[in-house]
Amino acid sequence: MKILIVDDFSTMRRIIKNLLRDLGFTNTQEADDGVTALPMLQSGNFDFLVTDWNMPGMQGIDLLKAVRADDKLKGLPVLMVTAESKREQIVEAAQAGVNGYVVKPFTAGTLEEKINKIFERVAA
Amino acid sequence: MAETAEQMNDKLALAKSLVAHLESGNEDDADSAIAELAGFTDSLLFQEIGRLTRELHNSINSFVADAHLVSIAQNEIPDAAERLRYVIATTEQAANTTLGAVEDSLPLADSLRAEARRLSEQWEKFNSRQLSVEDFRDLTSEMSHFLEITQANSDALHDKLSEVLLAQGYQDITGQIIRKVIDLVKDVETKLVELVRLSGPHAKPREKSRQEGPDTTAQGPAVPGVDKGDVVTSQDDVDDLLSSLGF
């Protein structure tokens, strides 16, 4: 399981990386915004994308849309982990095809629950 | 415009003489009376404009001469930006220190757990008399090794936890800095209100620009009491909203 973590704050990437490692996901890579993340996704055989929304350069929502518009990537499970908490934003992310949405600040339990749910659904 | 009784009497006298001049067909005198009457209004108007100009002049002067305002624009606003950048740097450093200590601590705890589990299996066997004399000798040497690493790991864990403890000092520092910036923002607000008052009723608040469709641009974290509107307040809200959309 190869996972890409996208967030402009390195501390948040570290936190997510550590939480994922605790859940048994040790193969993770990091990017600091959508512009960096998209080429990594296109060439990197990633199985899962965890992304923030509010980032300089390319925002998470645009990264999600770019992933869904890419023939090779459109099936990639995407979990959004973000402080963006307006209902309209969550609806937009859902319409753009997000697989899960976690609002910051979050707990390790919440992250685990959402990731498990996504993989259950992908497997089904 | 307030007129004195004297001015009123003068006007009345002028008006009466104007009527008299007109009735007697004295056109020149009638014209000069009309001009004099008009002069009354003009002089009152000029007085009023003069008063307003002086007031405006004084207000603008006192506004410009406010040294604090100059210092706000030249020093305090750039300072505040620098302070806030420092808050970001400080909090980032604290988070990294803490994360580093946690990353170093977890393997220490893991090795203690693994070693203890192995020893307790051996100890079980010893209790149920399944250990040979030779095995028992191994167990005692393993036991003394375990006691050694327990001490060493506990010391290391203690150091790491102290690091985490100390790293939390960022809260105090950043809290103080942010409080200063809040004071500055309040100060600027007061000055802006003064400026709006000076520019008077001509300056109307601009209407919020209208947007087509919902606004889903990135807002950053929602701050309780500041960010109003349709904002979810918990992960449960997010889950409810998504399940209502068929998730």
Side-chain angles (χ1 to χ4, degrees):
Chain A
M1 175 67 65
K2 193 171 166 189
I3 303 176
L4 183 64
I5 304 163
V6 190
D7 199 306
D8 54 331
F9 276 85
S10 68
T11 47
M12 186 45 69
R13 292 200 301 271
R14 257 182 106 172
I15 291 170
I16 293 174
K17 191 174 100 178
N18 277 291
L19 291 173
L20 288 174
R21 199 184 49 205
D22 259 7
L23 298 173
F25 304 109
T26 50
N27 190 3
T28 53
Q29 284 190 30
E30 301 175 27
D32 61 3
D33 80 334
V35 177
T36 328
L38 196 55
M40 287 174 79
L41 289 169
Q42 281 161 342
S43 61
N45 288 323
F46 283 95
D47 304 295
F48 188 41
L49 169 64
V50 179
T51 183
D52 184 23
W53 181 313
N54 190 8
M55 295 177 288
M58 188 190 217
Q59 304 231 337
I61 186 71
D62 298 321
L63 176 63
L64 171 64
K65 288 173 182 170
V67 164
R68 291 291 175 254
D70 186 313
D71 270 343
K72 245 181 78 189
L73 297 175
K74 62 183 174 196
L76 181 72
V78 179
L79 175 66
M80 218 155 208
V81 179
T82 173
E84 301 303 323
S85 50
K86 279 171 80 176
R87 286 174 184 279
E88 294 156 355
Q89 292 175 313
I90 297 163
V91 170
E92 185 182 1
Q95 285 166 349
V98 83
N99 299 84
Y101 201 103
V102 173
V103 281
K104 296 175 188 170
F106 59 96
T107 64
T110 303
L111 189 69
E112 180 176 15
E113 183 199 326
K114 300 305 161 199
I115 289 176
N116 287 340
K117 224 178 201 171
I118 288 172
F119 289 141
E120 272 169 33
R121 224 178 272 133
V122 169
Chain B
M1 273 180 261
E3 287 181 49
T4 61
E6 206 183 326
Q7 281 174 323
M8 285 297 287
N9 282 337
D10 286 354
K11 265 191 188 174
L12 191 61
L14 265 172
K16 277 178 180 164
S17 71
L18 174 61
V19 173
H21 289 314
L22 286 174
E23 275 172 355
S24 63
N26 196 341
E27 238 172 82
D28 284 349
D29 286 343
D31 281 348
S32 74
I34 288 172
E36 223 176 312
L37 267 174
F40 263 107
T41 325
D42 283 352
S43 74
L44 280 174
L45 191 65
F46 282 130
Q47 271 174 31
E48 187 68 7
I49 289 175
R51 193 181 58 79
L52 283 173
T53 310
R54 203 164 43 247
E55 248 182 45
L56 184 66
H57 179 75
N58 289 344
S59 309
I60 290 175
N61 265 357
S62 70
F63 195 78
V64 169
D66 188 345
H68 189 197
L69 192 72
V70 177
S71 128
I72 284 178
Q74 285 182 348
N75 307 317
E76 293 186 46
I77 294 280
D79 269 3
E82 200 47 53
R83 278 177 214 282
L84 291 179
R85 269 191 285 275
Y86 181 69
V87 167
I88 294 179
T90 307
T91 51
E92 182 180 22
Q93 195 189 16
N96 277 323
T97 304
T98 307
L99 288 167
V102 169
E103 283 172 358
D104 294 343
S105 300
L106 289 176
L108 296 175
D110 287 347
S111 82
L112 281 180
R113 184 176 51 193
E115 202 72 12
R117 184 170 297 159
R118 218 164 49 79
L119 271 181
S120 72
E121 276 166 20
Q122 294 292 98
W123 190 248
E124 262 329 287
K125 282 186 188 163
F126 170 73
N127 276 339
S128 52
R129 299 171 194 282
Q130 289 172 354
L131 276 193
S132 64
V133 176
E134 212 167 302
D135 285 342
F136 181 71
R137 211 173 284 139
D138 287 345
L139 177 59
T140 54
S141 87
E142 272 177 35
M143 190 70 88
S144 75
H145 170 71
F146 177 66
L147 291 176
E148 263 172 45
I149 70 155
T150 303
Q151 272 182 37
N153 285 12
S154 303
D155 284 346
L157 279 172
H158 185 272
D159 289 348
K160 292 296 163 192
L161 288 173
S162 302
E163 254 181 68
V164 171
L165 192 76
L166 283 174
Q168 307 313 306
Y170 81 91
Q171 222 293 317
D172 179 20
I173 296 162
T174 57
Q176 291 185 46
I177 294 170
I178 291 171
R179 221 170 273 152
K180 267 191 183 168
V181 176
I182 291 171
D183 288 343
L184 173 64
V185 170
K186 277 187 182 160
D187 216 335
V188 170
E189 185 196 28
T190 314
K191 298 292 171 195
L192 281 178
V193 167
E194 244 170 76
L195 188 62
V196 168
R197 196 182 54 78
L198 270 182
S199 56
H202 305 296
K204 291 211 173 70
R206 256 203 313 194
E207 270 189 41
K208 266 197 173 173
S209 60
R210 292 240 172 128
Q211 255 182 309
E212 292 294 314
D215 175 17
T216 57
T217 52
Q219 314 278 318
V223 179
V226 177
D227 292 309
K228 297 178 190 83
D230 210 5
V231 172
V232 297
T233 52
S234 69
Q235 184 65 39
D236 286 343
D237 283 352
V238 179
D239 296 347
D240 289 348
L241 179 58
L242 285 178
S243 74
S244 77
L245 294 166
F247 264 69

